[in-house]
Amino acid sequence: MGDIHIGEAKENIAKAGFLDVDVDPTLDLFGEIERLKKEKNAIVLAHYYQEPDIQDVADYIGDSLGLAQKAEKTDAEIIVFAGVHFMAETAKILNPHKKVLLPDLKAGCSLADSAPPELFRQFKAKHPNHLVISYINCTADIKALSDIICTSSNAEKIVESIPVDQPIIFAPDKNLGGYLIKKTGRDMVLWNGACMVHEIFSLEKITRLKIRHPNAKIIAHPECEEPILRIADFIGSTTGLLKYSQEDAAMEYIVATETGILHQMQKSSPHKMFIPAPPDNSCACNDCPHMKLNTLEKLYLCMEYELPEITMDEQLRVAARKPIERMLEISAKYGL
Ligand code: 13P
Ligand code: SF4
């Protein structure tokens, strides 16, 4: 087991975020993960932005809504969440008696970080008559300060479910919020947060790419900035984008979201071409650095040693659960 002893790695977990031990390179990690799933009655839930190997070993791959719904319904005793912290935390909020594991506790989210609870509390106090709809990409503290949670696949329906004379705060994503204002005609007060991955797409480079691929459809996630959304042929959650790429007749797509989703797009439509929308940065990559902190090795280690585990203050958990339940109820009502 490498140079660092497991006992030492466990002690160091809060600092490292994961079990920092070497894994025997000859170990069949796919086989080991399958063995651990059966032995421990564990389910592996993965977001589409995870690396391809993790997606291939997962029991369920989905967008934030699908993952929350799956976490709520599973009979497994252990939920292994291959995603970022707010996703695993949501699974724990819904499953207080189950063990929820996250391969790397430092897999955070720039969007969730853009809403510090104390500042948000002050912001909310300035709008006392407003109902708070928060995007699921936020911490449990923000969820506890919210009335309803939404994801990119149900946000429009959630906003429309609120009476028209009820003023609304939408947090933390200003891009999704702006998109919803346009779609629903509701004048919402927006928190000024954004996702670091969806803010870096270059309109100029996408326009140039489109000239080289005139038949390509531009498909974008609603976390993208308005100029990108304006030129998109289709806007949707990761599941929405994947479905569109499967059902639409075009043969080429310029995909404006994190590149992890291309794995499933390419797998289900091998005859089509999927081009990642170019970002405006020097490394030319639109990987989410948080999502990509998880690796197959860390996934195996967290299943083997059942660490790192998500733990929560019970009072906070109960308060954060209410707006998630409202979201799940509204989603079920609309068959989402
Ligand atoms: P969805 O998968 O719900 O579309 O969310 C995208 C995202 O940015 C998750 O972090
Ligand atoms: Fe957060 Fe953006 Fe990464 Fe999703 S892609 S986890 S919103 S930083």
Side-chain angles (χ1 to χ4, degrees), residues 47 49 63-65 86-87 135 137 151-152 198 221 223 237-238 291:
H47 188 266
Y49 295 164
D63 67 0
S64 308
L65 178 63
F86 75 82
M87 296 178 169
Y135 190 36
N137 301 36
T151 75
S152 49
H198 291 89
H221 194 280
E223 287 174 25
S237 75
T238 49
M291 286 277 181

